[in-house]
Structure formats: structure tokens, C-alpha cells
Amino acid sequence: MILKVYTSLLFLFLVNSVWTRTVRQVYDDLDPDHWSHYTSECPQECFCPPSFPNALYCDNKGLKEIPAIPARIWYLYLQNNLIETLSEKPFVNATHLRWINLNKNKIRNSGIESGVLSKLKRLLYLFLEDNELEEVPAPLPVGLEQLRLARNKISRIPEGVFSNLENLTMLDLHQNSLLDSALQSNTFQGLNNLMQLNIAKNSLKKMPLSIPANTLQLFLDNNSIEVIPENYFSAIPKVTFLRLNYNKLSDDGIPPNGFNVSSILDLQLSHNQLTKIPPINAHLEHLHLDHNKIKSVNGTQICPVSIALEEDYGYYGNIPRLRYLRLDGNEIQPPIPLDIMICFRLLQAVVI
């Protein structure tokens, strides 16, 4: 199971570089006689590298409008401009687009022509970070695999906007203006293959409803969440990386065994209001509890298995897998209690 999880995450984080490298290898062998043809098609505001003819670089050009995109283009770079509108006209011939980077422009929802995005049938990656969007744009291309909308002004998610995005693996909505009311029970319906959901740096007070069941990484840092509902993680049985740093969690807001979840390998609860370490699972490998209000640590009490049984089973039994424990910024005084080391035999680093 763990090997399968890490394989999926490796794909999620490295697919961009692997894909680009593969494409470059293919086009490095192109006949130089075709280069002049590619150059003649290239918009004068942009750069078309002869060794990578399916890419169009129009970034950092002070553009206010998108130029006409040649039909051969797969990868379109338009970041760091002054673009305010997305209209259908520049994309009439661009039927093979796979990747569009529109980060750091001035795009609002009112500047997006109706249906312009959904007509890009082959689009897989759409980056619209650091713009002025007030809501998630709709409709979207049904084949999307990554949608990045961080650092906008999004306070609304239209109903059904994600319902047909079965291929989406990453949804990044961090640092927007989302309230609890924006996340309904059907908001994420249809995201059957989502692996990473980032809703950090919003204005949530509650854990979001109906997270897709296949989610591996859930990032909720820098909100105002106070309570973890009972059995919340049973609905997302594959969650592996959970970040809840900089929230308002207290001991009373965490149900018994709330984080005792076998799938969670990395749990981050830094900068909350905890006075004790919550019960954890033996499978947990990284635990961040720095900058809470914890005064003492009792290894016997927090050990996820009986220390006596652990000694019987030795390294061949179900011993706790914790390798990293961070406790600095609390009220704990060194040295590290011996029973911590007895329980967590695989510990490689303890920050106190």
C-alpha cells in the first residue's frame, strides 16, 4: 500500500519534468530545414525555440492581449503579463494545446469569454495563479489533470464546475477568499481521481465537506478550523499527507482517535492550541506539533502500541514507524523522556 502511495505521489510531482524532457528528446531530432517555417509562424511578440517547436514563450512581454496561437503549439507560456481577457479568437487554430500558463496576469471572470476554456479539448494543465478571479472559471476542459488557481480572490465555486473533471489529479485553491459556505456537500463531486487538494490560506472554520475519496494530500494550513468531526477521515481512506498548521485546534476539538488513521504517514499540526499529543497510529512516520501549548510528553501514554508487546515482537512486529517528531515552541524541557525512545525505535530526529 505504502509503495503504491509513493508511486502515485512521484507521478504527481515529477510528471511535468519527465513529460517535457521526453518531448525535447523527440524534437531535438527534427530536420533544421523546418525551422524557418516555425519561425515565420511565430507571433512577433513571442519566442519560438527551434529545438522545441511545440512551445510558445510569450512570458514577461507586457502583453495586454493574447496573440494568435499557431496550430502546432502544445505548450503556451503567457505568465507575467498584463492580460485581462481570454477570448476565443487567439485559440481558433490552437486545437492541440496541452499546457497553458497564465499566472500573474490581470484576468477577472468577466474577462473570460463564455466557453473559451471548455473548447480546448486536449488541455491537461491550466495555470491561472495570481490573477483577479472572483470564482472558479466555468466550464472547464473535461480532460484537465491539473488546475492551479492559487492567490486569486475566489469566494465562490459554481455548482457542478468539477462534475466532469474525472482526470483531475491536482486542485490548488490556496490563498483565496473561501468561506465554509462556498464548500457544499457536492462541490467536489466528480473528482474521482483527485490526489492533491490544497485549500490552505482561506477563511474556513470547519473541515470541508465531501473530500474526494482518493485524495492523498490534503492541505488546510492557515485557516481557522477548530474541530475535527468524528470519523472524518473514514471518508478519505487513502489520505497520506495531512497539513493543519496555523489553525485553532484544541484538545477538545479532536475526537478520541481522530488522527489514529493507518493511512496517514505525515501529520502536521504546528501552530495550534494543543496541550497534549493526540493519539496517533503506528504507521505514522512524521509528526509536527511545534508551537502548541504542550507542557510534557509521556512516551508510554502516546505510544500507539503496548511497549511490552513491542518488546515481544521486536523489529519484526508492528512497531511504531515514527521517524521524525517536532515539539519545539512548546513548554517542554529537555531531555527527551527515555520512554519516547523505547516506544519509537525508528526515530531519526526529535526537535524539542
Side-chain angles (χ1 to χ4, degrees):
M1 171 62 185
I2 295 174
L3 179 59
K4 183 178 180 181
V5 167
Y6 281 129
T7 302
S8 299
L9 293 175
L10 184 63
F11 167 79
L12 182 65
F13 289 117
L14 299 182
V15 65
N16 296 357
S17 60
V18 173
W19 187 8
T20 302
R21 184 168 61 250
T22 302
V23 172
R24 284 186 182 275
Q25 289 171 350
V26 170
Y27 292 119
D28 281 345
D29 296 330
L30 283 177
D31 188 343
D33 291 340
H34 295 291
W35 292 359
S36 60
H37 170 67
Y38 294 137
T39 304
S40 66
E41 280 191 331
C42 187
Q44 62 179 5
E45 309 96 326
C46 307
F47 171 62
C48 300
S51 61
F52 196 23
N54 285 73
L56 181 61
Y57 292 87
C58 307
D59 51 308
N60 296 288
K61 302 295 184 182
L63 300 179
K64 294 185 178 181
E65 296 181 350
I66 299 174
I69 311 302
R72 71 174 190 274
I73 298 303
W74 287 21
Y75 308 97
L76 177 59
Y77 298 88
L78 288 161
Q79 66 270 28
N80 293 300
N81 281 296
L82 303 171
I83 297 168
E84 297 181 356
T85 59
L86 293 180
S87 61
E88 185 177 345
K89 185 178 179 181
F91 300 104
V92 169
N93 296 318
T95 57
H96 296 282
L97 275 174
R98 305 292 202 274
W99 171 307
I100 299 179
N101 189 334
L102 279 159
N103 292 344
K104 295 187 178 180
N105 279 282
K106 298 182 178 297
I107 300 169
R108 303 174 61 114
N109 289 87
S110 58
I112 302 177
E113 185 177 332
S114 178
V116 62
L117 293 173
S118 62
K119 291 177 181 178
L120 301 174
K121 303 294 185 181
R122 301 187 183 185
L123 195 66
L124 302 178
Y125 293 74
L126 178 58
F127 301 166
L128 278 164
E129 298 179 345
D130 296 285
N131 277 277
E132 299 179 14
L133 298 173
E134 302 93 355
E135 62 181 54
V136 174
L140 291 163
V142 297
L144 272 186
E145 294 182 4
Q146 289 192 17
L147 177 60
R148 305 194 186 203
L149 299 169
R151 295 178 298 277
N152 277 276
K153 302 175 182 179
I154 296 172
S155 61
R156 181 174 177 270
I157 301 178
E159 185 175 356
V161 66
F162 303 127
S163 59
N164 294 319
L165 302 187
E166 293 187 0
N167 295 326
L168 199 72
T169 59
M170 174 190 285
L171 175 58
D172 191 344
L173 288 162
H174 89 268
Q175 200 166 333
N176 277 285
S177 303
L178 293 170
L179 300 171
D180 295 319
S181 58
L183 305 180
Q184 300 299 314
S185 59
N186 62 348
T187 296
F188 301 113
Q189 184 175 350
L191 298 179
N192 299 328
N193 290 297
L194 194 71
M195 291 194 287
Q196 184 185 106
L197 178 60
N198 192 341
I199 327 178
K201 294 188 177 181
N202 278 279
S203 300
L204 304 180
K205 294 183 178 180
K206 300 178 181 179
M207 295 292 284
L209 301 171
S210 300
I211 299 298
N214 286 319
T215 302
L216 299 175
Q217 299 179 325
L218 179 58
F219 302 152
L220 292 164
D221 313 78
N222 293 88
N223 281 285
S224 299
I225 297 170
E226 299 179 354
V227 176
I228 307 295
E230 189 83 31
N231 299 318
Y232 181 84
F233 299 106
S234 62
I236 43 176
K238 297 181 181 180
V239 64
T240 305
F241 295 86
L242 177 63
R243 291 196 337 213
L244 280 159
N245 304 318
Y246 291 96
N247 276 281
K248 297 182 179 181
L249 289 171
S250 64
D251 301 328
D252 294 336
I254 300 175
N257 294 311
F259 293 119
N260 188 0
V261 180
S262 62
S263 66
I264 298 178
L265 303 182
D266 190 298
L267 176 60
Q268 300 190 19
L269 297 168
S270 305
H271 293 272
N272 277 279
Q273 300 171 14
L274 302 175
T275 64
K276 59 184 179 181
I277 297 178
I280 59 175
N281 193 272
H283 291 87
L284 188 67
E285 296 183 3
H286 295 84
L287 177 59
H288 298 247
L289 285 165
D290 54 287
H291 298 90
N292 276 274
K293 299 179 180 180
I294 301 171
K295 295 183 179 180
S296 63
V297 181
N298 186 316
T300 303
Q301 290 180 353
I302 68 171
C303 193
V305 300
S306 167
I307 291 179
L309 290 175
E310 185 181 341
E311 290 177 352
D312 291 338
Y313 285 119
Y315 280 96
Y316 299 100
N318 187 30
I319 69 169
R321 300 177 186 175
L322 194 68
R323 288 171 167 80
Y324 180 89
L325 175 61
R326 184 170 178 183
L327 291 166
D328 56 304
N330 285 282
E331 301 176 32
I332 303 169
Q333 298 297 321
I336 299 168
L338 179 61
D339 52 4
I340 291 284
M341 308 309 297
I342 294 174
C343 173
F344 302 107
R345 301 184 188 183
L346 302 180
L347 265 176
Q348 297 175 354
V350 181
V351 184
I352 193 169

